Amino acid sequence: MRDVRVRFAPSPTGNLHIGGARTALFNWLFARHNNGKMILRVDDTDLERSTGDSMKAIIDGLKWLGIDWDEGPIYQSKRLDLYKNYADKLVKEGKAYYCFCTKEELDEMRKEAQKAGKPPMYSGKCRNLPADEVKKYMDEGKKYVVRLKVPKEGKTTVHDIIRGDVEFDNSTFDDFIIMKSDNMPTYNFATVIDDYDLKISHIIRGEEHLSNTPKQILIYDALGFEKPSFAHVSMILAPDRSKLSKRHGATSVQEFRDLGYLPEAIINYITLLGWIPSDGEEVFSTEKSISEFTLDRVSKNPAIYDTKKLTWLNGIYIRDCDIDRLTKEVIPFLINKGLIGDNYDYDYIKKVVSAVREREKTLNEIAEAMSYYFNDEFDYDEKGVKKYFEKDGVDNILKEAIEVLDKVDDFNLVETEKAYRDLIEKLDIKSGDLFHPTRLAISGKTFGPGLFDIMELLGKKKTIERIKKAIKYIENIKGK
Ligand code: GLU
């Protein structure tokens, strides 16, 4: 096998989406598995649609995911001479030609084809223009494009590592454009020149490019370039098997980052969009996928995009995350929600994160679940109010609770629990009669971390204040 050199070649016209991220990842896994090189190339010859902001967003997204590269970014817009030289060479060798057809002439051709019930194809009108005519048009300054002379017969076969051989009849191609009238190369042309020039050994990209590949092969052949190996990764479809779109929720890496997903969960998830380790386990480390990743095991079938699965995986990674790292990841979410300012108590935050993390699946959910530790103003859960606050005698029970809690000097979970157990015995009530309304009083919720953990974290003063406030609320609804 040649030295492995692969590339990720985004067009900088938007954010890094799940599909692009998967293409980048599969190239990267393949490079790392084979001790090869990963190259980042920027397909920015569409000057109108390409933006620096998009490229920055794509680079940020890759870095955040931990996908790195050995060479690049290499910008196509800075290599325009290279494409022009090769186009000139092809024209000189008679393998490509200048086409001076105007928009009106092309429209006419399209109409003719339509009438004849044929697909719209270039007729080949300028394919054999005599040299003096070409010169005359050039001297007149007539606009032109460069077209490849495509063989009219025979077949072009794509040997695809994932799909096997895919054959295309050359008669289905017209003499397609390789250089536009503004001297810019078309995608198919620039990509072949660069993939050759950068010594790319394997081209791994989305299935949507499979129909471009025979055209690229025709260009390789015209230039006499050695061809790389090709692998087209399946489409990613929505759960209902329709084309993935905005209405299926977040699809860009940035959106997932802002929603509080961990990069390793996203990496694990997008690896699963077409690949799975040999043991069939769905949760795996990047080290494992690097060590096992081969293209022949990439699935031919469309991958189904399912954010529920991603969220499930994220919950697993959150549970396994080092507590300091998790705390640092959660802090921006807390700041964002206005729950803490710049001057925060790291150790306290860390304790709260460790109290709530178990049940939550995203960083945002963790921050949400931490709200009542920082914010005294919260609503009581409605169902909880009906069940626990509207119960007879609950206000008196809570009053007794305040008294015993007030006497606890060392306000830790052992001491508060002891005080509560004694009170339950003394009042001869069920533990739920005291625990449930207390939880609702101090957190507004009917579920969450251990009650005495919450109390310890809130401290004596806050715990008692919140119970007092709840008693007032209860008296109010009872009209006392
Ligand atoms: N810029 C193209 C894209 O983003 C690259 C396709 C390829 O990998 O050749 O789809």
Side-chain angles (χ1 to χ4, degrees):
M1 190 153 87
R2 289 165 67 174
D3 280 350
V4 165
R5 288 175 61 83
V6 292
R7 83 309 193 265
F8 175 51
S11 305
T13 55
N15 276 334
L16 181 62
H17 283 267
I18 286 296
R22 184 193 57 175
T23 302
L25 177 66
F26 279 22
N27 276 286
W28 183 80
L29 289 172
F30 185 72
R32 296 295 171 252
H33 176 84
N34 291 294
N35 289 318
K37 295 270 187 270
M38 167 89 168
I39 292 132
L40 177 62
R41 189 184 81 208
V42 186
D43 287 3
D44 61 345
T45 55
D46 185 342
L47 297 178
E48 261 169 40
R49 293 181 60 226
S50 302
T51 68
D53 283 354
S54 287
M55 203 50 225
K56 194 181 165 304
I58 291 169
I59 286 180
D60 284 353
L62 292 172
K63 284 190 179 160
W64 182 72
L65 288 173
I67 298 176
D68 60 355
W69 52 92
D70 308 294
E71 292 170 32
I74 294 166
Y75 290 83
Q76 288 194 322
S77 61
K78 297 199 178 128
R79 294 158 65 83
L80 299 178
D81 284 349
L82 186 70
Y83 314 124
K84 181 156 180 355
N85 289 343
Y86 277 112
D88 289 348
K89 181 172 180 278
L90 285 177
V91 173
K92 230 175 255 149
E93 291 172 356
K95 292 173 178 161
Y97 61 90
Y98 299 118
C99 165
F100 298 92
C101 290
T102 60
K103 190 180 167 298
E104 290 70 34
E105 285 170 299
L106 295 173
D107 283 346
E108 195 52 39
M109 267 174 225
R110 210 165 297 132
K111 269 188 217 143
E112 298 270 305
Q114 233 164 16
K115 246 190 258 160
K118 288 187 192 151
M121 296 218 283
Y122 179 67
S123 69
K125 190 169 175 199
C126 296
R127 188 173 169 124
N128 296 309
L129 279 187
D132 54 343
E133 210 161 319
V134 171
K135 186 172 178 310
K136 180 175 150 262
Y137 289 149
M138 286 283 189
D139 291 346
E140 286 170 7
K142 223 174 161 195
K143 275 194 172 242
Y144 64 88
V145 297
V146 181
R147 290 182 184 271
L148 189 77
K149 267 190 196 167
V150 173
K152 295 209 175 329
E153 279 148 25
K155 290 181 196 304
T156 298
T157 305
V158 178
H159 303 291
D160 187 288
I161 300 174
I162 299 170
R163 273 146 231 287
D165 282 359
V166 189
E167 267 189 1
F168 295 83
D169 267 320
N170 290 340
S171 62
T172 58
F173 305 123
D174 61 3
D175 289 347
F176 56 87
I177 299 174
I178 56 173
M179 291 293 280
K180 296 182 254 184
S181 60
D182 58 1
N183 261 326
M184 287 302 230
T186 55
Y187 154 69
N188 279 322
F189 191 57
T191 202
V192 169
I193 305 295
D194 281 332
D195 290 334
Y196 170 76
D197 189 63
L198 299 169
K199 302 190 170 52
I200 301 302
S201 62
H202 294 76
I203 293 183
I204 306 165
R205 62 185 166 207
E207 191 183 354
E208 68 275 16
H209 285 291
L210 183 59
S211 60
N212 283 320
T213 305
K215 294 186 181 175
Q216 292 175 19
I217 289 176
L218 290 167
I219 299 172
Y220 278 100
D221 290 345
L223 287 162
F225 289 167
E226 186 191 352
K227 288 183 275 291
S229 303
F230 293 97
H232 294 88
V233 186
S234 296
M235 304 277 260
I236 302 176
L237 300 178
D240 61 1
R241 301 207 146 232
S242 65
K243 197 167 170 276
L244 203 55
S245 73
K246 271 266 157 251
R247 78 190 156 91
H248 299 108
T251 54
S252 82
V253 170
Q254 278 81 357
E255 280 171 282
F256 285 114
R257 181 178 58 192
D258 296 346
L259 288 167
Y261 287 79
L262 292 175
E264 55 270 43
I266 297 184
I267 287 283
N268 189 154
Y269 179 69
I270 56 182
T271 310
L272 284 172
L273 295 173
W275 189 84
I276 190 155
S278 51
D279 59 12
E281 287 291 333
E282 292 194 311
V283 185
F284 48 82
S285 67
T286 309
E287 289 72 47
K288 180 166 167 175
S289 41
I290 288 176
S291 86
E292 283 197 27
F293 191 85
T294 54
L295 289 171
D296 52 2
R297 291 223 359 265
V298 171
S299 170
K300 274 200 228 8
N301 303 324
I304 304 295
Y305 178 70
D306 177 4
T307 47
K308 279 201 213 90
K309 191 163 197 171
L310 169 58
T311 306
W312 166 74
L313 271 171
N314 204 54
I316 292 175
Y317 281 91
I318 281 191
R319 274 203 292 289
D320 291 347
C321 190
D322 167 76
I323 182 63
D324 279 300
R325 152 123 194 264
L326 192 60
T327 306
K328 284 183 196 123
E329 299 275 7
V330 169
I331 284 171
F333 288 84
L334 294 170
I335 294 177
N336 216 329
K337 290 184 191 302
L339 291 171
I340 58 169
D342 291 339
N343 245 336
Y344 49 77
D345 177 350
Y346 178 83
D347 290 329
Y348 180 67
I349 294 172
K350 183 171 156 182
K351 282 185 197 150
V352 180
V353 170
S354 73
V356 306
R357 70 188 290 180
E358 206 61 35
R359 312 169 146 263
E360 311 306 334
K361 294 200 169 62
T362 65
L363 300 171
N364 193 46
E365 283 177 13
I366 293 181
E368 200 75 48
M370 289 169 73
S371 168
Y372 60 82
Y373 290 89
F374 298 93
N375 187 359
D376 296 319
E377 301 302 319
F378 50 79
D379 293 331
Y380 301 116
D381 176 82
E382 259 178 58
K383 278 195 193 129
V385 168
K386 287 221 160 57
K387 230 167 140 185
Y388 308 125
F389 281 0
E390 289 181 5
K391 213 169 163 186
D392 276 347
V394 66
D395 39 351
N396 289 329
I397 293 177
L398 288 178
K399 277 179 193 158
E400 298 265 1
I402 290 175
E403 260 181 49
V404 298
L405 290 175
D406 200 31
K407 291 197 189 98
V408 178
D409 290 326
D410 197 358
F411 205 77
N412 61 40
L413 73 158
V414 179
E415 294 300 318
T416 48
E417 174 158 12
K418 199 168 155 294
Y420 257 40
R421 298 274 175 213
D422 290 347
L423 180 62
I424 287 161
E425 221 183 281
K426 186 187 137 199
L427 298 179
D428 193 20
I429 53 176
K430 285 198 213 94
S431 57
D433 294 337
L434 176 58
F435 288 10
H436 294 316
T438 305
R439 174 184 292 283
L440 189 60
I442 66 176
S443 73
K445 296 188 192 305
T446 55
F447 59 87
L451 179 63
F452 303 103
D453 292 277
I454 305 179
M455 285 197 194
E456 183 178 323
L457 282 166
L458 288 175
K460 186 166 170 176
K461 192 164 160 272
K462 268 203 173 162
T463 302
I464 291 179
E465 270 170 16
R466 288 186 181 183
I467 299 176
K468 278 187 182 158
K469 193 172 168 185
I471 293 172
K472 273 209 190 105
Y473 177 90
I474 294 165
E475 288 177 345
N476 224 346
I477 50 176
K478 290 192 175 163
K480 280 195 191 163

